[in-house]
Structures are given as structure tokens and as C-alpha cells.
Amino acid sequence: MIVIAGLVLGLLFGATLAKRRKGQTKDILQYAAAYAILFSIIGLFITILIHRAAV
């Protein structure tokens, strides 16, 4: 669940960041994809840490 939340937050954050920087459509999509991947990986590590701490 944390991974999906990271994905959505990354999409939103990347898209708004590119829009603020006056990016074109391709720029917005690239920023959204890059931040979605980054936030998903961070969410994955957080999920693994929480799972290992619970055991």
C-alpha cells in the first residue's frame, strides 16, 4: 500500500514540478514517470523496513 501511495504522490509531485517550470507535455510526462519510480522505490524500502521490524 505504501508503494502505491508513493507512486501516486510521485506522479503528482513530478507533474506539478514540471508544470511550474513551464515544461511541455513530454517534459511533464517524463518528470511524472521519474518521480513516480523514485517514490515507489522509496515506498518499497519503507515497506520492507516495516515488515522486518514487525518480525
Side-chain angles (χ1 to χ4, degrees):
M1 192 69 179
I2 296 173
V3 177
I4 296 170
L7 177 84
V8 172
L9 286 175
L11 280 170
L12 294 174
F13 181 74
T16 54
L17 184 65
K19 280 184 182 181
R20 263 193 259 146
R21 294 182 179 181
K22 308 286 189 220
Q24 296 177 355
T25 304
K26 290 181 181 180
D27 298 323
I28 294 169
L29 291 173
Q30 184 176 3
Y31 267 71
Y35 276 96
I37 292 168
L38 176 68
F39 282 27
S40 295
I41 291 172
I42 292 170
L44 177 65
F45 282 121
I46 291 171
T47 302
I48 291 170
L49 289 173
I50 290 171
H51 188 279
R52 287 189 179 252
V55 174

